Amino acid sequence: MISIKNKKRKPTVVIIGAGMTGMLMLIKLRELGVEDIVVIEKKDKVGGTWRENTYPGVACDIPAHMYTYSFEPNPEWSHRFARGDEIQQYFERVADKYGLYSAIRFNTLVTSSRYQSGKWLVETDSGEHFEADFLISATGILHHPALPEIKGRDAFAGASFHTAEWDHSVDLKGKRIGVIGTGSTACQAIPELVKVGGKVSVFQRTPQWIVNVPDRDYTEQHKARCRKDPGLLHRLRQLYTMSVEQIFSKAVTGHKVQHAFVSLMCKLNLRRSIKDPELRAKLTPDYKVGCKRLIANGTFYEAIQKPNADLVTEGIQHIEASGVRTADGKLHELDVLVYSTGFHPFNFMRPMEMRGKGGLHINDAWASKVQAYRSLFIPDFPNFFLMLGPNTPIGNFSVIAMSEVQCNYVLQCVARWCDEGFDEMNVKAVAMKEFNTYLKRGMSKTVWVGGCNSWYLDKDGDPAMWPYTWKQWVNEMAEPQWGDFVLSRVEADKDVDAAA
Ligand code: NAP
């Protein structure tokens, strides 16, 4: 394990966000030997996405033993697919165990960050200022709820909210509930809403492919075995990781056998689960399996066949006071309207005001395309790490594993800075260009360019995903390619190039 504990030069670091990635960075930077770290968190708790998403049915569709920090396995998971509240509790326990709270400023929003002469100057909404050698954005990907541009949205007289901003004060019992969207979130929420609602109208614009990996309860006996034998937890993690990697990740990145297998799983799931041919036809997508993010769910198909569930495939014309009117002129009367309409995945740390070298604004740097070198670096935003940036291999893999790989890369950069050879680490524009050409080359083989619309696609229709295998990503991220960076000394207001 690398360490800077004996180095004279130690950096100051600001981390934005105390979700899974921000916590990871704090733990690992401290283990490296960095002492001066501040984490700025806009809300009052750690946990990020698991703190935000409290909709009924919220769970993680990645197996729980895989969806944990590698250094903090958890024998207590209640199910193969952990529920949202227990994942939140897991992160709170980790924060306690590692003493993270002392470094976190809660209820504080970063409003601007500016790079100047080797330092990041960070400002918050409480008027505080921080200065740091390194700035880390750990704001996650899916945290800006997207509301649909549907006419009359404000006219609705009942309660309405986005799934990521669930209003728990609204009593759903016996109510007429409308849900717009049928993505991963909706497929988890709808089965719960059908249990309590009088009628649930699901407005589907595009059908989705759903794979059913059965859930299972973890018995007390299983948990006791996991507690006693940490090797078992490790083996479970390896097993799930290998299965997801070898089957699901390969299925979407051009491996024909895996794709055929997952396609068959989805098609059989649809055929066996939905008895009514008319309903089945409505639920059958016309694009390749995996083109949109594959949904792993075992409850939606059953729920949508309940007598109080209604799948509406007619397009929405507008929203009005008493409900949703579809293009056929029918009014679907509702008491509650739920927007399960996804997120703005290309915002990242924005709308935070951010300026790099020479005052370059992030919106200008990303004017033609939101891109980064190795997902982490933006030219002229030196000493800045964009965790889970564009083209991180998201999709159906553990985002924790991705952050851990990126974290290891960042630690090496920080450790080298401590050797005092440079103050500023700036990725070369040409390196980013070459990296993105390399990505583009791989995209043509993936299913994401299979003619569907999804949140993976940027405004040019390019998937912001990693088009190769997980293993290849891990190998390529194992250590920095130092020649792709300009490493320079910074003297007062002057940046002086040093040997790379
Ligand atoms: P999403 O996959 O982006 O789905 C949004 C849904 O809203 C789609 O069905 C979309 O229809 C619909 N929609 C958007 N605008 C609309 C409009 N104007 N009119 C009608 N329908 C509209 O969002 P999500 O379900 O929240 O999931 C986002 C991602 O979060 C997932 O892909 C996954 O990566 C992650 N997630 C993970 C888990 C987990 O268990 N690990 C759980 C939930 C979410 P179209 O398909 O036609 O665009």
Side-chain angles (χ1 to χ4, degrees):
M1 203 172 83
I2 50 171
S3 171
I4 60 155
K5 285 190 179 133
N6 298 323
K7 305 272 180 194
K8 273 202 292 224
R9 187 193 204 199
K10 291 188 179 172
T12 48
V13 180
V14 167
I15 299 171
I16 308 173
M20 174 278 291
T21 304
M23 290 171 57
L24 168 75
M25 294 311 297
L26 177 56
I27 293 169
K28 292 295 164 186
L29 282 165
R30 278 178 172 174
E31 282 177 9
L32 181 73
V34 181
E35 288 150 14
D36 194 342
I37 310 169
V38 177
V39 181
I40 305 174
E41 166 57 52
K42 66 181 175 187
K43 294 283 179 67
D44 61 349
K45 277 196 190 112
V46 298
T49 202
W50 301 104
R51 178 204 59 224
E52 300 284 278
N53 285 279
T54 59
Y55 58 83
V58 60
C60 183
D61 63 8
I62 305 295
H65 287 304
M66 180 182 165
Y67 194 85
T68 50
Y69 291 128
S70 58
F71 54 90
E72 200 53 46
N74 179 23
E76 310 303 329
W77 293 124
S78 67
H79 294 80
R80 174 178 281 150
F81 298 107
R83 305 326 194 220
D85 56 351
E86 60 177 325
I87 301 175
Q88 175 62 20
Q89 285 158 21
Y90 167 80
F91 285 119
E92 289 180 14
R93 271 202 314 276
V94 172
D96 261 335
K97 177 172 171 183
Y98 288 81
L100 303 189
Y101 288 111
S102 58
I104 306 174
R105 305 285 174 111
F106 286 107
N107 299 309
T108 308
L109 183 78
V110 174
T111 48
S112 84
S113 52
R114 186 161 49 91
Y115 182 79
Q116 200 181 310
S117 308
K119 298 280 182 197
W120 277 100
L121 310 174
V122 176
E123 224 177 288
T124 71
D125 60 349
S126 56
E128 278 180 297
H129 294 258
F130 299 90
E131 196 179 283
D133 297 303
F134 289 99
L135 178 66
I136 299 177
S137 168
T139 58
I141 312 162
L142 302 171
H143 64 115
H144 296 284
L147 289 170
E149 299 294 326
I150 298 175
K151 215 166 71 189
R153 222 178 57 213
D154 294 336
F156 185 61
S160 65
F161 41 84
H162 189 276
T163 47
E165 295 165 340
W166 198 271
D167 185 347
H168 291 277
S169 70
V170 176
D171 181 10
L172 300 171
K173 201 154 178 263
K175 297 276 164 58
R176 296 165 302 176
I177 306 167
V179 180
I180 302 181
T182 49
S184 303
T185 302
C187 286
Q188 291 180 344
I190 289 161
E192 297 306 309
L193 299 178
V194 165
K195 284 181 199 163
V196 293
K199 182 174 181 196
V200 178
S201 304
V202 177
F203 298 91
Q204 171 191 275
R205 186 166 64 180
T206 316
Q208 301 254 8
W209 287 114
I210 302 178
V211 66
N212 181 7
V213 180
D215 197 6
R216 62 169 275 211
D217 291 356
Y218 284 139
T219 59
E220 280 311 311
Q221 204 183 8
H222 168 89
K223 290 184 208 169
R225 278 177 57 215
C226 288
R227 271 179 224 124
K228 233 171 77 185
D229 178 9
L232 173 61
L233 280 174
H234 180 70
R235 288 193 298 280
L236 282 170
R237 181 188 179 85
Q238 299 283 87
L239 176 77
Y240 283 122
T241 303
M242 203 179 71
S243 317
V244 175
E245 180 191 348
Q246 292 302 325
I247 302 172
F248 294 103
S249 297
K250 286 197 169 170
V252 290
T253 51
H255 297 78
K256 290 199 170 71
V257 174
Q258 287 86 341
H259 188 261
F261 176 66
V262 177
S263 299
L264 186 66
M265 281 173 84
C266 292
K267 286 172 188 170
L268 284 178
N269 184 31
L270 178 62
R271 174 140 210 109
R272 286 185 184 151
S273 309
I274 305 290
K275 303 292 171 220
D276 172 13
E278 206 178 307
L279 179 63
R280 199 187 312 135
K282 285 182 176 178
L283 289 167
T284 304
D286 63 357
Y287 53 85
K288 280 188 182 170
V289 168
C291 182
K292 282 175 181 287
R293 199 258 193 193
L294 190 59
I295 297 178
N297 180 287
T299 52
F300 172 73
Y301 282 154
E302 191 188 333
I304 201 69
Q305 294 174 93
K306 296 278 183 203
N308 64 332
D310 181 22
L311 183 73
V312 182
T313 53
E314 198 66 43
I316 298 174
Q317 193 186 72
H318 65 259
I319 297 170
E320 55 192 69
S322 50
V324 169
R325 186 152 324 249
T326 43
D328 53 2
K330 184 172 173 189
L331 174 67
H332 302 262
E333 288 188 279
L334 302 171
D335 305 306
V336 181
L337 182 53
V338 175
Y339 296 107
S340 189
T341 41
F343 299 85
H344 294 292
F346 291 95
N347 284 8
F348 293 101
M349 62 288 179
R350 298 180 289 179
M352 176 182 93
E353 177 78 11
M354 188 175 194
R355 288 186 185 275
K357 260 185 115 150
L360 176 65
H361 198 286
I362 187 65
N363 290 346
D364 293 326
W366 276 348
S368 62
K369 203 169 191 63
V370 174
Q371 56 186 345
Y373 167 81
R374 298 200 172 274
S375 308
L376 276 172
F377 299 91
I378 306 164
D380 287 331
F381 288 78
N383 299 7
F384 170 64
F385 305 108
L386 172 61
M387 304 300 290
L388 300 177
N391 302 97
T392 299
I394 35 180
N396 290 78
F397 209 81
S398 164
V399 81
I400 301 184
M402 294 164 213
S403 283
E404 288 194 2
V405 170
Q406 292 181 337
C407 173
N408 181 48
Y409 193 107
V410 169
L411 296 186
Q412 294 177 66
C413 299
V414 172
R416 180 148 179 194
W417 179 92
C418 297
D419 288 338
E420 305 189 38
F422 65 93
D423 304 314
E424 181 180 284
M425 179 177 184
N426 193 7
V427 70
K428 294 174 183 167
V430 66
M432 185 176 78
K433 197 164 165 233
E434 281 168 10
F435 179 70
N436 281 282
T437 306
Y438 166 61
L439 291 174
K440 188 128 188 156
R441 233 181 3 251
M443 286 307 170
S444 58
K445 295 199 190 83
T446 71
V447 285
W448 308 309
V449 290
C452 75
N453 188 23
S454 80
W455 66 262
Y456 291 165
L457 306 179
D458 70 9
K459 62 179 173 50
D460 304 320
D462 292 326
M465 303 283 283
W466 174 255
Y468 307 107
T469 61
W470 167 255
K471 203 163 179 190
Q472 192 169 335
W473 188 68
V474 173
N475 289 341
E476 290 183 21
M477 290 293 289
E479 53 188 61
Q481 290 66 29
W482 295 106
D484 286 344
F485 297 90
V486 176
L487 306 177
S488 18
R489 281 267 178 227
V490 175
E491 285 169 20
D493 280 314
K494 210 161 77 188
D495 302 342
V496 183
D497 275 5

